[in-house]
């Protein structure tokens, strides 16, 4: 208020000063002198107006101050009412405001989590449906593109003859030639009325192949007698490794893989004589390599890594009798030893989940392996059980001292045990056949009966010069 009054006084003083200045400096001839009465009246009027305006301003200031006081009072009343309302709510709800706030936040958080989880499930279901649709499409395309034979060798090989007259020569006088062949190779030679063919039956693929090559060489040579049979057998056995190497090289070529270490090629060739539930392992590996490469092309992964790992994924089966451990881990160790990439070794190890798959190529090898084994006619459980029973028969006899070779013959109805003459005499041979028969009865389940034959052969050799 004091400021307003001071401002009014200053304004009056300025007006008065202006009037006095005008009267002092105005030229006499131009302006007529103002009457003294008029100037005094004007100043009085101005003073009255300023005083009235100051009074109005004072009243307005008082009104504003009063309203501010009322507002402060209302604000304090509202705060008191809010506090009272909160206390009433707390009393009625039986909990504090902080607890109610915590519960509200918790409810909002739970609702948000529920909504987000529902949205995530919806997205996952949509993604799964889309993934399944695409997977079915990729697998159907790959299976249609792969033209693989469903028939595979199981437990027999066939040697074709130029004429049926050769069957008598293979049998020999009183059956001595065929007995020599069966004792050396451990394979059944089935000579019946089938025209132009001799069937070789045995669960061990290497033995069967060795018997086939031996018989083919004897037929080509024309001389078939026990001494020549034995000579040809050992010669063929020494050449078998080169034959296995050729089979491995052919498998690598068929799978479209380059620059494989020679030792891995040799191990791959051995798979030609192994079966898994009746499925030839080498043919299975080539098929898996082709499937994995096609799926890798479809998904934008590395076809080279997928094809290579798929071809070598079962290579550990070639040495499982020499190295302990699952064949997948053994195969991975062999791959690293012979310079394969870590991605290839990892995919080999992960195809049976011995290690967790970490690359898309490892998952593709898994899928291709399952796809190859699951197709109709690829595998048979009964054949695998049959082969296992024959292997168990041979292992029971092999663990005895003095046993040199053991062959399960006649589909497991007979087991022939070759013993070392210097370690086993005739009486011990009789006891050995009895012990093996009892162990078979105790440890195995089988239909019918199994004949145990212990063969002790002594040879005296001297050269006349």
């Amino acid at each position: 208020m004091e400021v307003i009054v001071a401002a009014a006084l200053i304004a009056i003083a300025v007006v008065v000063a202006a009037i006095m200045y005008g009267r002092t400096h105005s030229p006499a001839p131009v302006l007529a002198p103002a009457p003294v009465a008029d100037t005094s009246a004007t100043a009085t009027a101005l003073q009255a107006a300023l005083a009235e305006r100051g009074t109005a301003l004072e009243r307005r200031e008082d009104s504003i101050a009063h309203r501010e006081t009322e507002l402060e009072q209302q604000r304090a009343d509202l705060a008191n009412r809010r506090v009272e309302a909160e206390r009433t709510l707390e009393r009625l709800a039986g909990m504090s405001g902080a607890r109610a706030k915590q519960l509200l936040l918790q409810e909002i958080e739970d609702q948000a989590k529920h909504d987000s989880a529902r949205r995530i499930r919806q997205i996952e279901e949509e993604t799964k449906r889309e993934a399944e649709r695409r997977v079915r499409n990729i697998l159907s395309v790959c299976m249609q593109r792969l033209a693989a034979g469903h028939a595979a060798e199981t437990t027999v090989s066939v040697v074709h003859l130029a004429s049926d007259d050769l069957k008598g020569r293979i049998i020999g006088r009183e059956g001595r030639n065929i007995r020599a062949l069966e004792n050396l190779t451990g394979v059944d030679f089935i000579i019946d009325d089938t025209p132009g063919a001799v069937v070789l039956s045995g669960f061990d693929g290497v033995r069967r192949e060795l018997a086939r090559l031996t018989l083919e060489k004897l037929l080509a040579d024309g001389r078939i007698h026990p001494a020549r049979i034995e000579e040809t057998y050992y010669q063929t056995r020494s050449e078998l490794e080169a034959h296995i190497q050729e089979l491995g090289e052919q498998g690598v070529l068929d799978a479209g893989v380059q620059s494989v270490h020679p030792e891995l090629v040799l191990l791959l060739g051995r798979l030609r004589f192994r079966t898994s539930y009746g499925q030839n392992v080498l043919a299975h590996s080539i098929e898996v390599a082709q499937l994995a490469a096609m799926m890798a092309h479809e998904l934008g992964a590395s076809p080279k890594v997928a094809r290579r790992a798929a071809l070598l994924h079962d290579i550990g089966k070639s040495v499982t009798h020499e190295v302990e451990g699952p064949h997948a881990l053994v195969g991975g160790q062999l791959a690293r030893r012979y310079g394969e990439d870590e991605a290839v070794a990892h995919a080999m190890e992960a195809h049976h989940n011995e290690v967790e798959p970490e690359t898309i190529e490892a998952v593709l090898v898994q899928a291709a392996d399952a796809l190859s084994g699951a197709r109709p006619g690829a595998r048979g459980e009964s054949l695998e059980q049959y082969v296992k029973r024959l292997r168990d028969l041979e292992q029971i006899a092999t663990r005895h001292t003095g046993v040199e070779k053991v062959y399960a013959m006649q589909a497991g109805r007979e087991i022939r045990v070759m013993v070392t003459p210097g370690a086993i005499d005739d009486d011990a041979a009789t006891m050995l056949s009895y012990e093996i028969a009892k162990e078979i009865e105790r440890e195995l389940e089988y239909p019918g009966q199994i004949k145990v034959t212990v063969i002790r052969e002594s040879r005296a050799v001297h050269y006349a010069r």
Side-chain angles (χ1 to χ4, degrees):
M1 185 64 187
E2 290 80 5
V3 175
I4 296 173
V5 174
L9 293 175
I10 291 172
I12 295 171
V14 170
V15 172
V16 173
I19 294 172
M20 295 299 294
Y21 181 82
R23 292 178 60 185
T24 305
H25 294 83
S26 297
V30 177
L31 296 174
V36 175
D38 292 341
T39 303
S40 301
T42 302
T44 303
L46 289 173
Q47 288 178 355
L50 289 174
E52 184 178 354
R53 188 170 183 178
T55 304
L57 290 173
E58 288 178 357
R59 288 197 300 268
R60 187 173 181 179
E61 184 181 7
D62 292 340
S63 175
I64 290 172
H66 180 68
R67 289 182 63 184
E68 287 181 354
T69 304
E70 288 181 350
L71 289 174
E72 289 293 336
Q73 183 64 34
Q74 291 178 2
R75 189 179 294 111
D77 291 343
L78 288 174
N80 293 333
R81 291 179 181 179
R82 181 176 180 179
V83 171
E84 185 64 26
E86 288 180 356
R87 290 175 181 173
T88 303
L89 289 173
E90 290 177 358
R91 185 173 62 254
L92 293 175
M95 66 178 69
S96 64
R99 176 60 180 167
K101 182 178 180 181
Q102 182 181 0
L103 291 176
L104 179 61
L105 291 176
Q106 183 66 37
E107 183 178 353
I108 295 173
E109 183 180 356
D110 293 342
Q111 183 65 33
K113 287 181 178 179
H114 175 72
D115 293 342
S116 62
R118 183 175 58 186
R119 181 59 178 164
I120 289 172
R121 283 196 301 270
Q122 180 181 356
I123 294 173
E124 285 180 348
E125 290 174 359
E126 293 175 356
T127 305
K128 185 177 180 181
R129 285 194 297 269
E130 177 64 21
E132 288 178 351
R133 184 192 63 77
R134 190 176 179 194
V135 165
R136 283 194 296 269
N137 182 56
I138 290 174
L139 291 181
S140 63
V141 169
C142 293
M143 286 187 290
Q144 290 171 7
R145 289 175 59 189
L146 178 64
H150 283 221
E153 293 184 6
T154 53
T155 60
V156 296
S157 297
V158 178
V159 177
H160 296 284
L161 304 178
S163 69
D164 285 343
D165 296 337
L166 293 174
K167 292 182 179 180
R169 299 182 59 188
I170 294 173
I171 296 173
R173 184 180 300 174
E174 298 178 355
R176 62 179 185 173
N177 291 345
I178 195 170
R179 280 199 304 271
L181 284 168
E182 290 183 344
N183 289 339
L184 283 170
T185 61
V187 174
D188 288 327
F189 283 69
I190 302 173
I191 301 176
D192 51 19
D193 55 357
T194 304
V198 174
V199 178
L200 310 181
S201 176
F203 74 95
D204 191 312
V206 177
R207 290 185 202 164
R208 204 168 59 246
E209 181 68 11
L210 185 56
R212 185 185 68 82
L213 295 175
T214 301
L215 183 57
E216 287 180 350
K217 281 190 174 184
L218 288 170
L219 293 173
D221 181 67
R223 295 174 293 170
I224 306 177
H225 52 82
R228 181 61 182 168
I229 289 171
E230 186 172 352
E231 179 184 347
T232 305
Y233 168 77
Y234 287 113
Q235 180 184 356
T236 305
R237 192 171 68 175
S238 64
E239 297 172 356
L240 184 61
E241 185 168 337
H243 180 61
I244 292 174
Q245 186 81 20
E246 292 176 2
L247 293 173
E249 292 171 356
Q250 185 62 43
V252 170
L253 181 64
D254 292 341
V257 177
Q258 294 83 28
S259 303
V260 180
H261 194 280
E263 288 296 328
L264 294 179
V265 174
L266 180 62
L267 294 174
L268 198 62
R270 290 185 184 177
L271 296 179
R272 171 66 176 75
F273 308 108
R274 292 212 50 166
T275 59
S276 177
Y277 294 95
Q279 187 179 27
N280 185 278
V281 179
L282 179 57
H284 162 70
S285 299
I286 295 172
E287 184 176 308
V288 172
Q290 294 168 345
L291 286 169
M294 285 188 284
M295 288 191 286
H297 277 294
E298 294 288 338
L299 295 175
S302 172
K304 181 179 178 181
V305 173
R307 186 190 302 272
R308 201 175 190 92
L311 177 65
L312 302 175
H313 77 283
D314 271 345
I315 206 166
K317 291 183 177 179
S318 297
V319 294
T320 49
H321 63 287
E322 303 167 5
V323 181
E324 293 184 358
H327 74 273
L329 298 181
V330 173
Q333 295 170 4
L334 289 171
R336 292 187 183 91
R337 182 187 305 170
Y338 295 116
E340 293 293 332
D341 291 341
E342 180 60 30
V344 174
H346 169 70
M348 293 168 62
E349 291 177 333
H351 81 274
H352 279 322
N353 285 319
E354 270 78 10
V355 298
E356 192 69 22
E358 297 178 357
T359 63
I360 188 172
E361 290 81 11
V363 177
L364 291 179
V365 172
Q366 271 190 346
D369 181 40
L371 188 62
S372 173
R375 61 178 174 78
R379 296 185 173 186
E381 184 73 26
S382 59
L383 177 62
E384 190 71 11
Q385 293 176 351
Y386 162 73
V387 173
K388 183 179 183 301
R389 183 167 65 87
L390 297 188
R391 290 190 187 279
D392 291 342
L393 276 175
E394 292 190 352
Q395 288 176 359
I396 289 174
T398 304
R399 64 194 183 200
H400 288 270
T401 305
V403 174
E404 184 178 0
K405 291 184 293 185
V406 179
Y407 296 134
M409 312 287 287
Q410 304 294 330
R413 292 188 295 271
E414 179 182 358
I415 180 171
R416 298 183 186 177
V417 183
M418 315 294 181
V419 298
T420 305
I424 302 290
D425 56 18
D426 291 341
D427 294 336
T430 302
M431 288 300 300
L432 180 61
S433 64
Y434 175 79
E435 292 173 0
I436 293 174
K438 289 301 180 184
E439 290 180 7
I440 292 173
E441 291 176 0
R442 186 168 56 251
E443 298 181 19
L444 299 181
E445 294 182 0
Y446 51 89
Q449 62 183 13
I450 297 176
K451 178 182 178 182
V452 180
T453 303
V454 176
I455 301 174
R456 178 178 179 270
E457 182 182 18
S458 298
R459 295 188 182 185
V461 179
H462 194 72
Y463 296 94
R465 294 181 176 85

